[in-house]
Amino acid sequence: MSSRPLHAVLLPPEPGGGRFPDLLSAALDGSGPAILPLDPALPRPRLQDLLSVFAPAAIETPDGTKRLAAPGPAFPKAAAAGRAAPGVDPDIAVVVATSGSTGVPKGVQLTAAALRASAAASLARIGAGPAGRPGQRWLCCLPPFHVAGLQVLVRSMIAGTSPVVTDGVDAATVAGCGCAYVSLVPTQLRRLLDSAAPLDAFDAILLGGAAPPPGLLAEARAAGARVITTYGMSETCGGCVYDGLPLSGVRLRISDAGLIGISGDVLFSGYRPEQAARPAAGAPGGGAALDEDGWFWTSDLGALDDDGRLTVRGRADDVINSGGEKVVPGEVESVLGTLDGVRDVVIVGVPDSEWGELVTAVIVPEDPAVPPELARLRAQARERIPGFAAPRRLILVAEIPMLASGKPDRQALRAVAASQGGRA
């Protein structure tokens, strides 16, 4: 089978989108190469690692197209994962780079058909595009090297509108953009609320990337915002479940191990390099694998109610084993986040000689001068969750460190909790 050239794209956000929308459009309609969007701010060693593994034929930069010679030595940890062969399958339009659990990068391969199906289903669900008001534009304030930002651009193309592209978002941007739709991560929504941004100016706000802290949705909706929570990942072309219900063409299942399975026309077509697509042992239930029936098995725990509405409990690899009991951090966070004095909370497990892992609450207090006390938190939590899930340590921080994707940096928080010890 013939292959299609792959170009890495390192372009900063520009008003009007700059060259990126044109490159994306050509990738979608087949008139140009497939694209690999990368963060232009990446340190040079990391960039070289990615170029070595993914083997693009060229790099698109603000200075134009730069052809690449054969890449240098492969990423040091990539020996087991192999290195991609030049080019991609002809139907692949975009490769989204993600970091594997081993530290070896892998690329999620998305077809034009999958990206368009996702965008069309999203527009239909929120009443945008041809079915909405003419000229409804999207504010793109998420980087296009993440699937959420990329899909804002695809939705705009499908709807026939031009996005407003910004490097971040603030109250002034919201007030002056004249846009009807935006995709945000919880941290952005929190900051916009704190700055009294006119969120009711949007017809809809898609909120994804991480579970919103308890109370955030209620506060935003009280401010007049129409917030729609989304669940998905790069492998599903971004959000494919809105407010718990799958988009048109998307199907959900829960495995015997409690993991979320997804199928439909929004799914990716495997990983790059191909070796990275090896099914996890025991799939379904192994996580991050496509089975022989076309189901993608995530690493997320979930449940479906009688109406088919999905509740995401948390990631399986974040589960804390404490005293022989399994604690799902997201379920504890949803309780603690509603308690007085708690502005934000993340639950992590810290190694402990007695308990195996100690359930530790990392909390941003509402008032640093009057922080919550561990004994009160435990007592209130035990009214709603089992005693073994109530935190046994408390760490107070000024803010929760975040990953670029908008998710809490749990690895950093585990290190902070382990170093500080906390209050027992």
Side-chain angles (χ1 to χ4, degrees):
M1 179 185 293
S2 63
S3 65
R4 181 182 189 183
L6 176 69
H7 286 196
V9 180
L10 287 92
L11 296 173
E14 299 179 57
R19 292 173 54 220
F20 193 101
D22 291 338
L23 292 168
L24 175 59
S25 178
L28 291 174
D29 68 20
S31 63
I35 60 173
L36 168 69
L38 296 175
D39 183 355
L42 281 173
R44 185 173 180 81
R46 177 61 176 171
L47 175 59
Q48 290 300 122
D49 290 340
L50 294 172
L51 297 179
S52 177
V53 170
F54 295 133
I59 305 178
E60 303 287 349
T61 73
D63 296 326
T65 304
K66 177 183 178 182
R67 299 286 170 180
L68 293 179
F75 187 60
K77 297 181 181 179
R83 178 175 168 274
V88 294
D89 288 344
D91 58 345
I92 301 300
V94 178
V95 178
V96 178
T98 66
S99 295
S101 59
T102 62
V104 178
K106 60 183 179 181
V108 178
Q109 300 185 111
L110 304 175
T111 65
L115 288 162
R116 288 194 180 102
S118 172
S122 172
L123 293 170
R125 177 63 62 87
I126 67 175
R133 291 188 285 107
Q136 290 176 307
R137 303 176 73 188
W138 284 81
L139 173 63
C140 183
C141 56
L142 294 171
F145 49 84
H146 287 305
V147 73
L150 181 81
Q151 273 296 69
V152 169
L153 301 181
V154 179
R155 293 186 198 111
S156 296
M157 293 177 185
I158 294 294
T161 61
S162 298
V164 175
V165 180
T166 63
D167 187 5
V169 64
D170 55 24
T173 300
V174 172
C177 70
C179 293
Y181 303 107
V182 67
S183 285
L184 301 173
V185 297
T187 301
Q188 290 174 315
L189 180 58
R190 174 74 268 163
R191 291 171 180 170
L192 289 174
L193 281 168
D194 290 346
S195 65
L199 297 177
D200 57 351
F202 293 112
D203 287 6
I205 296 171
L206 301 185
L207 186 68
L216 180 64
L217 291 178
E219 186 178 346
R221 288 164 178 163
R226 179 194 175 200
V227 182
I228 299 170
T229 61
T230 71
Y231 168 75
M233 57 281 298
S234 298
E235 287 88 345
T236 61
C237 291
C240 64
V241 179
Y242 282 20
D243 283 341
L245 295 176
L247 295 179
S248 176
V250 175
R251 296 177 298 280
L252 302 175
R253 285 171 56 188
I254 305 298
S255 75
D256 292 341
L259 296 180
I260 299 169
I262 303 172
S263 71
D265 50 11
V266 302
L267 286 189
F268 73 128
S269 297
Y271 294 108
R272 177 184 179 85
E274 290 183 2
Q275 290 89 338
R278 291 192 302 265
L290 281 167
D291 69 15
E292 62 273 13
D293 296 320
W295 284 84
F296 169 61
W297 292 98
T298 75
S299 297
D300 295 323
L301 298 166
L304 291 170
D305 67 14
D306 293 340
D307 296 323
R309 188 177 296 272
L310 175 69
T311 297
V312 181
R313 300 174 58 205
R315 287 189 61 82
D317 49 12
D318 288 335
V319 168
I320 300 167
N321 288 292
S322 184
E325 301 285 357
K326 292 185 177 181
V327 178
V328 180
E331 296 177 342
V332 184
E333 292 162 2
S334 66
V335 171
L336 294 188
T338 65
L339 303 181
D340 290 341
V342 178
R343 180 180 181 83
D344 203 357
V345 56
V346 175
I347 299 296
V348 296
V350 178
D352 182 80
S353 58
E354 178 181 358
W355 294 94
E357 288 184 285
L358 212 57
V359 180
T360 302
V362 184
I363 285 177
V364 178
E366 286 280 5
D367 183 355
V370 189
E373 298 178 350
L374 179 62
R376 178 177 66 83
L377 290 176
R378 278 184 54 80
Q380 292 178 323
R382 292 179 68 168
E383 294 176 1
R384 296 167 56 185
I385 57 177
F388 64 78
R392 294 183 177 275
R393 280 193 181 161
L394 169 64
I395 303 289
L396 299 175
V397 296
E399 63 179 7
I400 300 295
M402 308 297 288
L403 300 170
S405 62
K407 295 180 174 65
D409 189 340
R410 293 183 184 272
Q411 183 174 350
L413 290 173
R414 291 187 190 99
V416 168
S419 65
Q420 291 191 15
R423 303 179 183 182

